[in-house]
Amino acid sequence: MAPKPKPAPSQPTPPPALEDLFTTLNRHIQASAFDNVVKLTDQILAIAPDDEDALRCKVVALIKNDHVEDALSAIKSSRKQLDDFHFFKAYCLYRQNKLDEALESLKRQERNDETMLLECQILYRLGKMDACIDIYQKLQNSKVDNMEINSVAALVMAGRSSEVQGMLDSLRVKATSSFELAFNTACSLIARNKYTDAEQLLLSGRRIGQEVLMEDNLADDEIELELSPIAVQLAYVQQLLGRKQDAIEAYTDTIKRDMADESSIAVAVNNLVSLKGPKDVSDSLRKLDRLKDKESQSFRLARGLDVKLSAKEKEAIYANRILLLLHANKIEQARELVSALPDMFPESVIPLLLQAALLVRENKAGRAEEILAQFASKFPEKSKVVHLARAQVAAAAGHPHIAADSLAKISDIQHMPATVATLVSLKERAGDIDGAAAVLDAATKWWSNAMTEDNKLNIIMQEAASFKLRHGKEEEAAQLYEKLVKSQGSVEALVGLVTTVARMDVDKAELYEKQLKALPGLKGIDVDSLERTSGVKHVEAPRVGVSETYEEGKNKTKTKKKRKRKPRYPKGFDPANPGPPPDPERWLPKRERSTFRPKRKDKRAAQVRGSQGAVVRDKHDAGASSNSSNPKSNQGTSKGSGHTAVSEQTKPSSKSSRKKSRN
């Protein structure tokens, strides 16, 4: 038998041509099928490992698919580093909130419009607004879409809201050209305290957004999600305008509906908590718990919020959390969160102020004053608010010397009337009258040389004269009053001058007194004759009137006598021989009377001897024998034992009910 021929070995299927793969790749890119793009690029790279187009398409597809970590791995594992890989790496690091590394990677890339825009985004998130604005100004001549939106946002965050309108005019752009620009411009109006204009612009922006998004065929839920920042900002404007109830309803509606992005919900929760204040602290803490990272034991914002919220917004949330914990007397949790804030916000003074508040809450005001003074001396550029806080803590703790010293170190508010009044009051409390007078003299000198429209010199001089008169410095007070009369000519100053000079020189006071206008209705009164009179004489009233009033008083003293009625006794009762008094406890239940004695239990029933069966048999026999001799005693014993059994059976059921209530 002839042997069977061996089958020919199967030839491996040849790989598809690169041109076909790239054709399919282009089709998937046009369809935004990024998963298929990644698979095809892997096939291409298996054939041509150093193909630049395939490498670039893979990295971009992974970024578009939000697989930022995989995109970074692809860039690092690639044998060939492309020129634009530094840009892609910087963008991936930016998405991971590794901002310093992203900025360092971007410096290796050649500068163009794309790299400058990404650099602006990184600087904005780092809080370096001035550098961000400088780059946007360089890009004004470039044709970059929506550049004015980001420029306005950077100006607002940099505290330069007054420049927004000028920038829009230079770009020839209206604030209502898009709902995003309307939102950012409204934020600039809020920063300039133009709340009504901001509210109108936000309403216009919401209307424009609804029209544009409806044209894009977005669903109602998506439109509401897109416009949620405007809704929250409108509630904030209502809060600033004093319409607190409307703001509370708007915040609550946004939180309950849960139809907003997570950053808008976080802002709504924080503003609602701050609006409610210390009312219902537990509910406010529960609302803030919604923003925390579920995996963290302590309070830390969720990762998405930590990336999206600005540093000021995050700082406000943490600060409100600490204040609520202090109100709730949860000192340990507050201390733990306060200790973590300096690392989160190293450039801010808020962590220091919260630490001082915690120390005051723990009755350590002296330690709070100490750390505030140390910080102010170490960072003088940030010392203004710190000195104010130290003055408040010291004044509340009864340390007026320290409070006055802290206020005196804030040079730019020394001349303000409120500061002057506070300093004078603190120095008076400390017994430093000369120091208080020096404060008033310095303020008077400053306002005398000030060239301002709203000059407060007259107010300061009036208070200084009153202070000096109160502390026995009549000559200095008279000089101040004379200056006031010459400059202002007010009646109050003239009256003060007359009163002051009268203590030293009566003749001179009379000269000043002649400058006072006569009071109406006093022309016919001779003042000299009034002064010569010995006073008002006592004139007796007519006797008739006296007798009449006496008779009236006599009639009033006569009270109407009530007719006494004989008491009615029950039948057979003899009031002459009433007998023993009734029992005062007759209306009380028997258990509550002093004569009540509970029935004794049979102690023999509790004795257990031998096995259980034997006890039952003996007890039954004893009961049968005693039943024939004394049925009443057996009846009482059975009641007592039955009562004991019932009370013992109710114990486990009550424990189980408590467990249910806890679950």
Side-chain angles (χ1 to χ4, degrees), residues 375-593:
F375 184 91
S377 60
K378 189 176 181 180
F379 303 100
E381 69 279 1
K382 302 177 183 178
S383 62
K384 181 177 179 179
V385 67
V386 177
H387 283 311
L388 284 172
R390 184 168 179 252
Q392 182 180 3
V393 171
H399 305 150
H401 280 297
I402 298 175
D405 180 63
S406 297
L407 274 182
K409 292 179 180 179
I410 309 174
S411 58
D412 56 343
I413 64 170
Q414 288 300 297
H415 56 277
M416 301 304 293
T419 309
V420 173
T422 306
L423 280 171
V424 170
S425 176
L426 288 170
K427 288 184 178 295
E428 277 189 302
R429 284 172 56 188
D432 187 6
I433 305 302
D434 294 336
V439 170
L440 289 167
D441 293 340
T444 304
K445 183 178 179 181
W446 192 94
W447 284 106
S448 299
N449 300 325
M451 304 296 291
T452 58
E453 295 180 0
D454 188 19
N455 200 301
K456 306 292 185 183
L457 178 60
N458 294 332
I459 298 174
I460 298 294
M461 289 178 65
Q462 185 81 28
E463 295 300 322
S466 177
F467 172 84
K468 292 177 184 296
L469 181 61
R470 190 166 63 248
H471 291 282
K473 299 181 179 181
E474 288 86 359
E475 293 183 1
E476 298 179 18
Q479 293 175 4
L480 290 171
Y481 278 127
E482 283 181 357
K483 292 179 181 179
L484 280 172
V485 170
K486 292 178 181 178
S487 63
Q488 190 179 8
S490 66
V491 178
E492 291 82 2
L494 188 55
V495 170
L497 179 59
V498 172
T499 307
T500 306
V501 175
R503 299 187 181 186
M504 301 179 295
D505 190 348
V506 178
D507 296 334
K508 192 176 181 180
E510 289 179 351
L511 292 176
Y512 286 121
E513 183 268 336
K514 291 178 181 179
Q515 299 179 20
L516 291 172
K517 295 181 180 180
L519 293 175
L522 297 180
K523 291 182 179 180
I525 298 176
D526 188 359
V527 179
D528 295 334
S529 62
L530 283 176
E531 289 181 350
R532 286 194 297 269
T533 58
S534 59
V536 181
K537 294 182 179 180
H538 175 70
V539 180
E540 294 184 359
R543 292 183 178 274
V544 178
V546 173
S547 62
E548 287 177 355
T549 54
Y550 173 74
E551 289 295 333
E552 289 176 2
K554 192 175 180 180
N555 293 334
K556 287 181 181 178
T557 54
K558 290 183 179 180
T559 55
K560 202 171 184 180
K561 294 182 180 181
K562 294 183 179 180
R563 185 167 58 90
K564 293 184 179 181
R565 295 184 179 180
K566 293 181 180 181
R568 298 179 64 184
Y569 299 110
K571 290 182 179 180
F573 179 76
D574 185 8
N577 187 18
D583 185 8
E585 298 181 352
R586 63 188 182 281
W587 304 116
L588 294 177
K590 286 186 177 182
R591 290 178 178 274
E592 299 178 13
R593 298 183 190 180

